[in-house]
Amino acid sequence: MAGAVSWKQLLINALESNSNLKHSSFLQLATVGSNGRPANRTVVFRGFLDDTHKIQINTDSRSRKVFHLGIEDLRHCPFGEICWYFTDTWEQFRINGKIDIIDDTVLDPIKLQQRDKAWFASSLKSKLQYLGPKPGIPCFSEEPPPQQFSLDPSTGPVSAFCLLVLDPDQVDYVNLKTNDRLAFTSQTSVNGEKCWNTERINP
Amino acid sequence: MAGAVSWKQLLINALESNSNLKHSSFLQLATVGSNGRPANRTVVFRGFLDDTHKIQINTDSRSRKVFHLGIEDLRHCPFGEICWYFTDTWEQFRINGKIDIIDDTVLDPIKLQQRDKAWFASSLKSKLQYLGPKPGIPCFSEEPPPQQFSLDPSTGPVSAFCLLVLDPDQVDYVNLKTNDRLAFTSQTSVNGEKCWNTERINP
């Protein structure tokens, strides 16, 4: 029975049911630092990549290792686990997979196009954050940073803008209202396509 | 200026301000699996250990590695990073530190007392979860698990009950409403006491 519903559909349903809450698109992304310790931070879900199961997140490539999502850390250990708890429907998704870093050093034209698309899909306010003072660096002045940057809406991504694409290979779903729990694991077939197996788990 | 407020006080204030929300005590705990990949899950804050800065979390020592907080993983890499986002006040705490596992194999009488205390502080409903079927194991039957277990309230912790104590050594605080950001880092003095330094950071 459980095999009938994909985790992507469950996630789309959860986003829909919790869409009245601003924080419903906020998730926690865990990675491993180059010191071998875990790191964890809230990031914003930026949709699936085209019609795939891959999850898009934007980040600032200037971010300091200790307190932000460290791109250098990700190069060291390219895996992440999302923990996404929906506060209205009491559903939790844990999504583990490999993260692809698409910054301005990438050469693949298709990936650069994906980065462009993610940039143009961002709000002006989001975009301006990539023009602000270097993030994660102590500010010694009490002065607020200059708020007015000019930004031509037709200009492509600034160099600090980085798209992360998490390609899930296992997903754990739990609904605390119904006590339903499903484990989704993927296998890659001979033609390179991912197929998902669903297993019902005792919560 | 910032040095005047401790992160513990900020956290106590956030818990107070968000106490109308059931999920305000829910946080995401990241660890590193024995496969070197990050793991992340929602757990419940069980208060500070006595009058220290240490954070208490309860878990089930039978939990399966892949989908639960794996005790074996923690033995392999005893560090964790909490990411705790308060949805009403838009505050995020990231708390990194070493995790002490206090299960029924521990010999230290003080630690065993802490575990007893955590057990007796738990609700009957919480306690009963440690008596239920082994968590994380696929259930092949559609039958609900037996709901009636007898549990003498004066009996100490069952063997599956495990107390985790996270001893923070750095905390990153950000308030998305005010754009305040503070980095707290600890140093251990010669007498073994932790002192905290506060630094204001550009968010």
Side-chain angles (χ1 to χ4, degrees), chain B residues 6-202:
Chain B
S6 72
W7 65 262
K8 187 179 175 181
Q9 192 54 53
L10 286 172
L11 185 54
I12 290 167
N13 297 350
L15 279 162
E16 177 68 28
S17 311
N18 294 267
S19 59
N20 58 315
L21 301 166
K22 183 193 153 63
H23 62 262
S24 64
S25 64
F26 291 10
L27 55 93
Q28 276 73 39
L29 176 65
T31 55
V32 180
S34 50
N35 59 2
R37 286 200 187 195
N40 206 3
R41 76 291 285 165
T42 306
V43 294
V44 179
F45 173 67
R46 301 290 180 181
F48 291 100
L49 179 71
D50 302 328
D51 58 350
T52 70
H53 284 72
K54 297 179 186 179
I55 288 170
Q56 298 184 110
I57 294 158
N58 298 340
T59 193
D60 190 315
S61 60
R62 300 169 301 169
S63 301
R64 191 162 73 158
K65 269 196 286 191
V66 183
F67 296 117
H68 269 288
L69 208 157
I71 300 304
E72 288 317 309
D73 288 350
L74 268 181
R75 293 196 204 278
H76 180 256
C77 174
F79 296 98
E81 187 161 278
I82 284 170
C83 182
W84 199 344
Y85 183 70
F86 289 92
T87 56
D88 239 24
T89 54
W90 301 12
E91 291 167 287
Q92 176 185 260
F93 292 81
R94 296 176 59 193
I95 305 171
N96 199 300
K98 199 169 175 182
I99 296 174
D100 195 14
I101 306 167
I102 310 181
D103 63 8
D104 64 347
T105 67
V106 160
L107 298 173
D108 181 337
I110 292 171
K111 290 188 181 182
L112 285 174
Q113 229 168 44
Q114 291 164 352
R115 177 170 171 262
D116 284 357
K117 206 171 159 187
W119 171 260
F120 289 116
S122 301
S123 67
L124 179 64
K125 199 184 158 202
S126 278
K127 283 176 179 167
L128 286 177
Q129 290 179 336
Y130 296 92
L131 297 173
K134 201 169 154 104
I137 297 298
C139 57
F140 299 105
S141 133
E142 293 295 306
E143 303 258 279
Q147 293 299 315
Q148 302 306 323
F149 291 92
S150 71
L151 186 65
D152 182 342
S154 67
T155 307
V158 297
S159 70
F161 181 77
C162 179
L163 170 65
L164 302 177
V165 178
L166 186 142
D167 186 7
D169 44 45
Q170 60 187 21
V171 178
D172 176 55
Y173 167 80
V174 63
N175 182 320
L176 294 177
K177 285 191 183 170
T178 63
N179 262 344
D180 276 327
R181 186 155 179 212
L182 299 169
F184 300 88
T185 44
S186 68
Q187 279 186 313
T188 307
S189 69
V190 279
N191 58 8
E193 257 179 49
K194 262 191 184 172
C195 8
W196 288 91
N197 294 318
T198 310
E199 199 182 5
R200 202 175 180 183
I201 298 274
N202 190 346

